[in-house]
Amino acid sequence: MQLGLVGLGKMGFNMRERLRRAGHDVVGYDRAAEVRDVASLEELVDQLEAPRLVWVMVPAGDPTRETVERLGELLDEGDLVIEGGNSRFSDDQRNAEILAERGVRYVDCGVSGGVWGLEEGYGLMAGGAAEDVERAMPVFDALRPEGPREEGFAHAGGVGAGHYAKMVHNGIEYGLMQAYAEGFELLAAAPQVENVPEVLRAWTRGTVVRSWLLDLMVQALERDPQLENLRGYVEDSGEGRWTIEEAINNSVPAPVMSAALFARFASRQDDSPAMRAVAALRQQFGGHAVHHAGPTSGAGDVHGH
């Protein structure tokens, strides 16, 4: 099958390779000249035979909207666009409407797998009309993991459902990662445990907490047993925030995912203003000792009143 792929970053580049290994004819475009097959979107569209299929893998927000709008100007009736980036689900209806003005079809697809997707395959969650999803199934089958289709692919519903499913997937991921991280810290702090990496490695087989994320944690510890080469600073992709917003909108309690998101916010604060306020209040009402900021601040700079 022939398709165009717009965006050859960390995931798009590997997706192109996996599709080619499966025998598909992929024409790739990216702003980076060293990885692209064609120099422009116009050239990409010209090289595809109608009815065309174009998969978009560019950053969410303005880059995706601008790409979709430009494709809407270049493509013809009967062509199909698949938007596979980490876009907010609420953007999908607008994208679909822009393309529909030219008779171009639209499918949104949440993609999970990261840099491991080339060899392991990608988890795919599609949203759109059944006939559009079916048309793209050869591409989905090439990208998903080997095995039964339902274990690596889902037609989640209409336009927007794919990105909604991926949003919730990432919210769950936040919670799982935070639980493993807190478990690691507790093990490392306990004087009774002398080999934290070995404990975590043992959990990867036969236990109820085994998972691919745990496997990746073990791999990280094999390279850096104390994780001393990393800062405890963690960004969020946006999908974790959107998940919590949707939990609020739908009155769904989500304390684990919420706490995991807020923990990421806390990771970016070298000296939390909120915790300074807590320290000040404890000192005021209870006379508790505090640590004063400054060149000599530290364990020895503790005062009580």
Side-chain angles (χ1 to χ4, degrees):
M1 186 172 187
Q2 187 190 48
L3 72 148
L5 181 57
V6 182
L8 301 171
K10 288 184 291 185
M11 288 187 69
F13 185 89
N14 284 343
M15 288 170 65
R16 178 178 62 177
E17 177 61 23
R18 187 172 175 88
L19 287 165
R20 285 176 172 172
R21 290 181 185 180
H24 295 287
D25 176 13
V26 186
V27 181
Y29 168 71
D30 192 274
R31 289 185 300 177
E34 63 272 17
V35 298
R36 66 193 184 197
D37 303 312
V38 293
S40 67
L41 284 177
E42 291 85 350
E43 188 177 350
L44 180 142
V45 170
D46 287 343
Q47 289 200 16
L48 298 177
E49 297 179 3
R52 305 172 185 87
L53 191 158
V54 179
W55 189 304
V56 177
M57 284 296 293
V58 301
D62 289 340
T64 293
R65 286 191 288 271
E66 292 166 4
T67 301
V68 169
E69 289 173 0
R70 184 60 182 142
L71 287 172
E73 298 169 355
L74 297 171
L75 294 174
D76 298 318
E77 184 175 354
D79 292 342
L80 171 63
V81 170
I82 300 175
E83 205 285 272
N86 283 332
S87 294
R88 188 181 175 101
F89 70 94
S90 54
D91 291 341
D92 289 312
Q93 193 61 48
R94 175 182 179 276
N95 291 339
E97 290 171 356
I98 289 172
L99 294 175
E101 294 176 1
R102 289 289 299 271
V104 178
R105 308 295 297 173
Y106 181 85
V107 168
D108 61 284
C109 186
V111 181
S112 179
V115 297
W116 297 87
L118 174 59
E119 303 299 335
E120 302 289 337
Y122 300 90
L124 306 171
M125 297 140 270
E131 59 269 26
D132 295 329
V133 173
E134 186 58 34
R135 172 180 166 186
M137 277 314 307
V139 175
F140 294 141
D141 282 337
L143 289 172
R144 66 177 178 81
E146 295 182 5
R149 179 179 293 176
E150 61 270 16
E151 293 182 2
F153 173 83
H155 180 193
V159 169
H163 280 141
Y164 198 103
K166 178 58 163 50
M167 175 192 70
V168 176
H169 164 282
N170 279 30
I172 293 170
E173 180 184 289
Y174 276 42
L176 291 173
M177 292 171 69
Q178 187 65 26
Y180 286 134
E182 292 174 8
F184 164 77
E185 183 172 354
L186 182 55
L187 288 170
Q192 298 90 336
V193 179
E194 300 177 359
N195 194 331
V196 175
E198 187 172 316
V199 170
L200 293 176
R201 189 178 301 110
W203 289 356
T204 63
R205 295 292 299 276
T207 75
V208 296
V209 298
R210 65 188 184 274
S211 75
W212 187 30
L213 283 174
L214 182 59
D215 293 342
L216 295 176
M217 182 75 171
V218 169
Q219 289 184 33
L221 291 173
E222 287 174 350
R223 293 190 296 269
D224 184 3
Q226 304 299 324
L227 301 180
E228 295 173 330
N229 295 322
L230 298 174
R231 284 184 60 209
Y233 184 104
V234 184
E235 290 285 4
D236 63 283
S237 64
E239 288 174 306
R241 300 185 187 212
W242 303 338
T243 302
I244 305 311
E245 290 174 7
E246 281 301 295
I248 294 170
N249 291 340
N250 290 282
S251 300
V252 173
V256 172
M257 292 186 287
S258 299
L261 176 63
F262 295 149
R264 294 194 180 196
F265 295 165
S267 78
R268 303 167 205 168
Q269 296 180 315
D270 292 330
D271 185 17
S272 167
M275 295 316 295
R276 289 201 304 270
V278 170
L281 289 170
R282 292 181 76 246
Q283 182 189 34
Q284 290 297 318
F285 75 73
H288 297 286
V290 294
H291 293 253
H292 288 286
T296 61
S297 65
D301 188 26
V302 179
H303 303 281
H305 298 280

